[in-house]
Amino acid sequence: MKQNRPSATAQRVAMQRAAHQLLDDPKVFDDPIAVRIIGKESASALQADAHQFETTPLSSYLRAFVAARSRFAEEELSLGVQRGVCQYVILGAGLDTFAFRNPFPEGVLHIYEVDQPKTQTWKRARLEEVGVTLPGNLTFAPVDFEAQTLLEGLRGAGYDPGRCTFFSWLGVTEYLTAEAVKSTLRFIASAPAGSGVVFDYMISPSLLNPAQRLRFDALAQRVASAGEPWKAFFHPGLLMRDLRAMGFGFVEDKGPEEINARYFKNRKDELRVGSLSHLMNARF
Ligand SMILES: C[S@@+](CC[C@H](N)C(=O)[O-])C[C@H]1O[C@@H](n2cnc3c(N)ncnc32)[C@H](O)[C@@H]1O
């Protein structure tokens, strides 16, 4: 992405989460701050016409996946807290709102939001604009995954590598090089027992059938024209093998069928995720 300006995809994804709050019943991911955080102007426009961002037939797949991945990550975070997780690191946080609706009692969790400095400055200005106060247990850690090590950036923010940590990494890996993704995963693999990570990733285009390939190309073109081209693609089986080799004892890949069965069954509106949706869950 262009580092001299905030991430455009962070706003787009936040708009999808906001639209989900207004359009979909029942909600898969309930986020009472989602509409506010997109900014006053966008929120008014969305409230006036919640369908206006459904620009292509793929929009509802994307909205469903954005909702499902946040829900899955936060469910895994809750399981992590039961295992002793006391630090939550949100990698490439964008306009994620967890820190402002954290359900855990005071003192349970310290939250670190990691993102490009420009995007963090923009987010802080946005929070101020919409009147969301920063909680005391949130620290911003400015890091560029491709230029800096995560440990360096997190340590500077007060992160303790010796404590049990849950990491979420949503909507980010596809924008990095495969090497940068693996180096971050190796860092996560050095966290103590009980730690874990949930992330989504883009599957290798070579695994797609012609109809899926068309959807892939349309989406890839859209993000590239926003200045944030996809760079990393993975084969699910090989990625799982690499994660096990890094030391993760539990590794599960959730593809579209499993995600739909878990979060979207028996819906009247037929909301569901599309075939490009993959989530990885890895822990010790
Ligand atoms: C599509 S947004 C997703 C935001 C958020 N995780 C969500 O689901 O709403 C991608 C995020 O990754 C961040 N990002 C992209 N490349 C990055 C890099 N090299 N270093 C740090 N953050 C990066 C962007 O700034 C942006 O916040």
Side-chain angles (χ1 to χ4, degrees):
M1 67 174 271
K2 292 178 186 147
Q3 288 153 32
N4 57 350
R5 61 168 170 80
S7 162
T9 57
Q11 175 72 13
R12 281 196 194 176
V13 166
M15 300 280 262
Q16 297 289 349
R17 261 191 310 268
H20 175 61
Q21 309 305 306
L22 302 177
L23 287 175
D24 302 320
D25 183 23
K27 283 180 263 205
V28 168
F29 183 63
D30 196 359
D31 180 347
I33 305 171
V35 175
R36 256 164 96 195
I37 203 159
I38 63 174
K40 287 181 182 155
E41 217 172 287
S42 302
S44 307
L46 190 67
Q47 272 153 339
D49 176 9
H51 288 278
Q52 66 175 293
F53 299 107
E54 291 197 77
T55 44
T56 77
L58 301 181
S59 298
S60 70
Y61 285 156
L62 183 59
R63 193 171 78 244
F65 187 50
V66 163
R69 72 188 185 193
S70 289
R71 163 116 174 239
F72 182 63
E74 292 186 16
E75 284 176 353
E76 285 300 316
L77 168 67
S78 294
L79 295 175
V81 169
Q82 288 169 26
R83 292 193 305 268
V85 160
C86 60
Q87 300 183 112
Y88 179 28
V89 177
I90 309 175
L91 297 169
L95 293 177
D96 189 289
T97 63
F98 176 82
F100 320 108
R101 49 180 177 78
N102 169 16
F104 299 105
E106 209 184 320
V108 168
L109 208 54
H110 196 94
I111 302 154
Y112 296 90
E113 287 201 4
V114 176
D115 211 328
Q116 301 268 16
K118 286 274 173 197
T119 302
Q120 290 192 330
T121 307
W122 164 77
K123 179 176 190 174
R124 294 173 85 135
R126 173 65 58 75
L127 290 167
E128 203 175 317
E129 175 204 325
V130 301
V132 174
T133 349
L134 299 182
N137 64 344
L138 167 65
T139 306
F140 288 95
V143 176
D144 181 334
F145 299 120
E146 301 203 279
Q148 240 183 315
T149 72
L150 192 50
L151 179 60
E152 206 183 323
L154 278 174
R155 266 234 169 101
Y159 166 82
D160 182 347
R163 304 185 84 187
C164 196
T165 305
F166 182 76
F167 297 80
S168 71
W169 205 10
L170 305 178
V172 190
T173 62
E174 53 270 47
Y175 299 105
L176 309 176
T177 60
E179 197 31 59
V181 173
K182 287 194 184 159
S183 124
T184 294
L185 291 171
R186 278 192 290 270
F187 164 72
I188 295 173
S190 68
S195 301
V197 59
V198 163
F199 63 97
D200 62 322
Y201 66 96
M202 190 51 67
I203 54 169
S204 299
S206 61
L207 299 174
L208 303 175
N209 66 33
Q212 294 166 337
R213 186 60 201 249
L214 278 178
R215 290 202 282 277
F216 174 94
D217 288 342
L219 279 171
Q221 206 179 359
R222 231 164 83 180
V223 292
S225 64
E228 297 173 40
W230 287 339
K231 295 184 203 157
F233 311 99
F234 296 95
H235 182 298
L238 297 181
L239 183 57
M240 289 171 80
R241 187 199 63 187
D242 287 348
L243 286 162
R244 287 197 191 99
M246 287 176 199
F248 291 98
F250 174 88
V251 178
E252 68 173 350
D253 178 64
K254 295 223 174 281
E257 293 80 16
E258 283 160 292
I259 299 171
N260 283 326
R262 180 160 167 160
Y263 296 125
F264 296 94
K265 66 173 183 234
N266 303 328
R267 289 186 70 95
K268 292 202 179 84
D269 60 6
E270 294 184 1
L271 184 70
R272 66 191 197 283
V273 302
S275 55
L276 302 179
S277 311
H278 274 265
L279 284 166
M280 193 62 83
N281 182 21
R283 60 176 181 261
F284 309 103

